[in-house]
Amino acid sequence: MPFDFPARPFIRRVIQVLSGASLCVVASLPGAFAAGAEPPASLAREILAQLIAINTTHAHGTTPAASALAERFRAAGFAPADVVEIAPPDHPEQGNLVVRLHGNGKAKPVLYIGHLDVVEALREDWNYDPFKLTEKDGWLYGRGTIDMKGQDAAVAATLIEMKRTGFVPDRDIIAAFTADEESTGSNGVDFLIREHRPLVDAEFAINPDGGEAGMKNGRRLYVGMQTSEKVFYTLKLTVTDKGGHSSRPTTSNPIYRLAADLARLADFHFPVHLTDTVRAYFAARARLETGQVRNDMLSVSGASPDPSAVERLSREVETNIMLRSTCTVTKISGGHAENALPQRAEAMLQCRILPGESLDSVREQIAACIADPELQISVQTPGKPSPESPLTPRIVAAVERVTRSIWPDVIVLPSMSPGATDSLYLRGAGIPSYGIDAMFDDLDDGRAHGRDERIGVGVFADEVKFTGALMREMSRAK
Ligand SMILES: [Zn+2]
């Protein structure tokens, strides 16, 4: 769960609107959500407890957790050939598990991905043991409960239940439980798609980690449907000079020159570029807004946005980042001694580029804005292009059906994440990927990666229900 959903000022208005009439019509969900079709919440809870108890921080690796899940799938009747434990030869501790439930072949497979690794948690920082699932006052505490062993447990329990009941989907359902999402390693989804594509090849993918479901004051507000993410790309700006004694200052001091260069960037904005997802995002949000904000959002979601609407939405950080690529200075360094003229000054320019935009063009626009022929601009971190996945009507309709069948007032919100998830590797490899999840998180108290990470007992039970219904919907040929 690497991204922070842009919601807080918006949610206050949503609450006002939702406290009135119901907004959405309840759609019926044909067959897929019939009584008895849900995996038992108790199994999901048991799996969650088992996964939490296995420390999967990067230092410990994911292989024991992958093996524990594999053992469950084999015990549930999955053929050994359909339960593949796999790790890069040079990183046997960063294990992955790929499980396949065979369908009747009417359509190409659907792939679920879920990472098993978690970020570090120190016992002394927590009120509970982070590596033991603890229930207290309606909450389930433990590292990874919301990011994302809870979702892994829901997917695993659903697959086991499908096997037990003899459910045959229209397409194979593949679930990859993976390593290295929370670290800079590449032994998880990146490794699987590069080295073992046939094992995970699919028509499209669902990544619960890229989804977000927002809740405030116990009220469920939206289920996000993430189709895209901005590309992480970092440039280094360098100015050099011959230096000298600080008692003899010169105007070519690189720190002054770099400071002047950066000052020109402070007011620079990339041009507005509205992707299909961003238009759909503003259209959905507008349904919950009122007044000027609603009109502005409707305007930018349409064919010819009003420039003044764009200007107003650009003033708010959370809407501005949806409208355009951004770059901002994150580090600066220079000089080598108190009594010497600097020979070098450097700044790090961290960019988040809209899907579909050229990284070279971004660099050229930065160079043109600064217009300093002596400034060197080099690539510090290359971008990994990740195209937007299409808002395929069949897939969007399925997510809306499942969501409304459980929560009639909750909207589905198409989204582009400013941060990155493992979906980028799949999208980059040509597999459309959707971040969808219903583990509702309190917008005022997000604890992913933090202290006393937790999920509500009821929220987890609903997540299991939602996952079961969505996996069935997504496995249909039509
Ligand atoms: Zn995550």
Side-chain angles (χ1 to χ4, degrees), residues 37 40 52 138 150 187 196 253 374:
I52 296 289
N187 303 303
H196 300 278
N253 182 322
E374 290 179 35

Side-chain angles (χ1 to χ4, degrees), residues 26 41 142 151 233 284 319 336 475:
V26 182
Q151 292 87 337
Y233 178 60
T319 40
H336 56 281
S475 73

Side-chain angles (χ1 to χ4, degrees), residues 1 115 147 181-182 209:
M1 183 174 288
H115 65 82
D147 185 15
E181 198 276 341
E182 302 288 10
D209 195 39

Side-chain angles (χ1 to χ4, degrees), residues 59-76:
H60 288 80
T62 43
T63 300
S67 294
L69 276 184
E71 187 51 45
R72 281 187 177 274
F73 284 110
R74 285 189 288 264

